[in-house]
Amino acid sequence: MNKRISLGTLLALSSILFLVVVPSFAAKNPNTPCGYNVTNTIANADGNNTPFQLQSDGKGSYVTETVSRTDGVLSVIQGNSCDWLLDLSNSKSRTVALTLAYPASTISTNPPPPFTGTQNVAARIISICGENTLNNGITYGTMTSVGQIVRCGFHIAFNYNGTTYGLHMNPASLAGTSWVQATCNGVASGQCNSWSIIPVPNTILNNSTNQNTAVGELLLVTNRGRTPIGLYEVAFSITTTNP
């Protein structure tokens, strides 16, 4: 059975796993146009009906909701950073389905990967465009035109059987990994209100699935630091809208 991440582990994860500190709330910041809830739809398969390696849990779109003080989902364009965040780590009912079936490097046996086939995990997923200096400070919440593209870091943190892992995509600091691509698909009142998030097209092809794919480094995360396990190919397609 997959266990939910504890508060202590989440605090350690926040300081160790992510390469920049970001707030986990949608509060409005008067200095940015950001700080609002968004709706996320995670596709389960491509146009050829080939399954993605990052899928939804089959329970519909992901929106911010508070069930109780210890049960909720956070789905936002963050107020301070204007980055996109989907945080399921405090949810008792929502997960994503992650598959680690396509290694892109030699995989460690000590520590080993947590699984190979598809597993549902209550992940915290964040895309940080500031990790790519070529974006010139532009990120999800500051995009202003239809067709505008940024290439960003993408990080999946999850707990499996009481152990914390992270799958990082950020070639600026992790060799062999790739950016993901965020595209603005709609604008209202001068601000982007619809985005697609996918692996960068026509860059890396998964030879087994024939899908455009991103590459992330899987890390074991403890309070002592991060231990590399190996690189994995992960294909996905996410649509995000405001509201």
Side-chain angles (χ1 to χ4, degrees):
M1 180 181 295
N2 298 351
K3 298 181 180 178
R4 297 295 186 260
I5 189 169
S6 68
L7 178 58
T9 303
L10 180 58
L11 291 174
L13 176 61
S14 297
S15 63
I16 296 170
L17 180 56
F18 298 119
L19 303 181
V20 299
V21 177
V22 289
S24 297
F25 53 86
K28 276 286 185 183
N29 184 332
N31 297 318
T32 75
C34 308
Y36 47 85
N37 296 324
V38 290
T39 300
N40 302 287
T41 302
I42 302 178
N44 291 337
D46 62 19
N48 295 319
N49 208 33
T50 302
F52 287 126
Q53 291 80 64
L54 178 63
Q55 303 178 5
S56 77
D57 57 9
K59 298 179 180 179
S61 298
Y62 297 86
V63 297
T64 294
E65 58 178 342
T66 301
V67 179
S68 70
R69 292 181 62 184
T70 59
D71 184 5
V73 171
L74 191 63
S75 172
V76 298
I77 300 297
Q78 295 185 304
N80 287 345
S81 67
C82 294
D83 291 320
W84 170 75
L85 170 69
L86 175 61
D87 191 350
L88 309 175
S89 61
N90 197 44
S91 177
K92 299 184 184 302
S93 60
R94 299 306 306 269
T95 61
V96 293
L98 180 64
T99 301
L100 299 174
Y102 301 107
S105 71
T106 300
I107 301 302
S108 170
T109 57
N110 185 26
F115 51 81
T116 299
T118 303
Q119 294 290 335
N120 282 74
V121 292
R124 184 182 191 270
I125 307 174
I126 187 169
S127 184
I128 304 173
C129 299
E131 292 174 337
N132 185 353
T133 58
L134 295 179
N135 294 326
N136 296 316
I138 302 298
T139 184
Y140 291 84
T142 57
M143 298 169 76
T144 57
S145 60
V146 174
Q148 188 174 10
I149 290 173
V150 289
R151 292 179 177 177
C152 309
F154 191 86
H155 308 284
I156 307 171
F158 61 96
N159 183 274
Y160 185 78
N161 286 341
T163 302
T164 301
Y165 299 88
L167 186 65
H168 288 257
M169 302 168 194
N170 176 6
S173 62
L174 295 171
T177 69
S178 64
W179 302 117
V180 304
Q181 180 167 295
T183 303
C184 178
N185 297 321
V187 170
S189 301
Q191 297 295 325
C192 188
N193 65 354
S194 175
W195 304 261
S196 59
I197 310 168
I198 60 173
V200 177
N202 304 316
T203 301
I204 305 171
L205 184 70
N206 183 313
N207 292 326
S208 297
T209 66
N210 204 37
Q211 294 170 323
N212 285 312
T213 189
V215 175
E217 182 167 23
L218 182 66
L219 304 167
L220 171 68
V221 181
T222 70
N223 57 9
R224 296 182 178 181
R226 310 183 305 178
T227 303
I229 296 174
L231 300 174
Y232 284 90
E233 295 183 358
V234 180
F236 56 88
S237 179
I238 301 170
T239 302
T240 299
T241 60
N242 175 24

